[in-house]
Amino acid sequence: MTTTRYDRQMYAVMNDRRAAAAYATPARRRLLVTLHVALTVVGAGAWIATVFGPGYGPAVAIAVVMLPWVVLTGMLNGSTRGLLELRGRMLDERQLVERDRVRALSHRVTLWLLVAAAAGAGTYSTLTDAPVRAAVTPVLVGVLVVHWIMPLWVAGLRVQDDLADEVADEA
């Protein structure tokens, strides 16, 4: 397969090491993932509150968290060298295997989250005597967001440190 100009540009973006210091250690990557999770929860929660609740006050929270969320997403993609964003033809065999592992683990985690969400919606309905449908849509939206972004979080936590030789070769 031949690579396209788009493939080469995306590869260059995902492998740009100028921000590498921000995710150079496992502790920093865990912090980035934690911050990303927090911003995702705030943003998704605010969106759910805006759509399913009264008023548009939470829309301000969406506007506030959007820029840092996008920056953190870019940093996590950079830390994985585009593992989830690049086309398969731009990845080597090791990266393809790692991408499959990340996706499989993400789906298992999301499965259990979906089970917990279903149990939570049922419990909410039982405890409040509200119909289940009152909780199902917001819960499903939340689980959909997590299902969508979970592979990035897992990849960010699983990425290995650059070997000193690789870093020296790229310099």
Side-chain angles (χ1 to χ4, degrees), residues 33-56:
V33 170
T34 302
L35 292 172
H36 197 268
V37 168
L39 289 176
T40 301
V41 168
V42 170
W47 185 86
I48 290 167
T50 301
V51 172
F52 298 106
Y56 293 99

Side-chain angles (χ1 to χ4, degrees), residues 50-166:
T50 301
V51 172
F52 298 106
Y56 293 99
V60 174
I62 297 169
V64 170
V65 301
M66 185 58 71
L67 180 61
W69 184 87
V70 168
V71 170
L72 286 174
T73 300
M75 292 174 79
L76 287 173
N77 278 324
S79 75
T80 66
R81 296 185 181 248
L83 185 71
L84 300 167
E85 298 300 321
L86 294 174
R87 295 179 185 172
R89 63 178 164 239
M90 297 303 293
L91 302 174
D92 61 28
E93 293 83 14
R94 179 192 54 80
Q95 291 169 313
L96 290 170
V97 169
E98 180 62 16
R99 182 168 66 178
D100 288 343
R101 286 181 184 149
V102 162
R103 287 180 176 164
L105 180 57
S106 299
H107 286 281
R108 281 194 299 272
V109 170
T110 304
L111 167 69
W112 289 109
L113 180 64
L114 185 57
V115 168
T123 302
Y124 168 80
S125 173
T126 302
L127 294 176
T128 63
D129 289 330
V132 173
R133 70 178 180 273
V136 168
T137 305
V139 168
L140 284 178
V141 169
V143 171
L144 175 65
V145 168
V146 172
H147 173 73
W148 166 56
I149 205 73
M150 182 65 72
L152 181 61
W153 296 338
V154 170
L157 293 173
R158 286 182 52 95
V159 71
Q160 300 296 313
D161 290 338
D162 288 333
L163 298 175
D165 295 337
E166 288 180 12

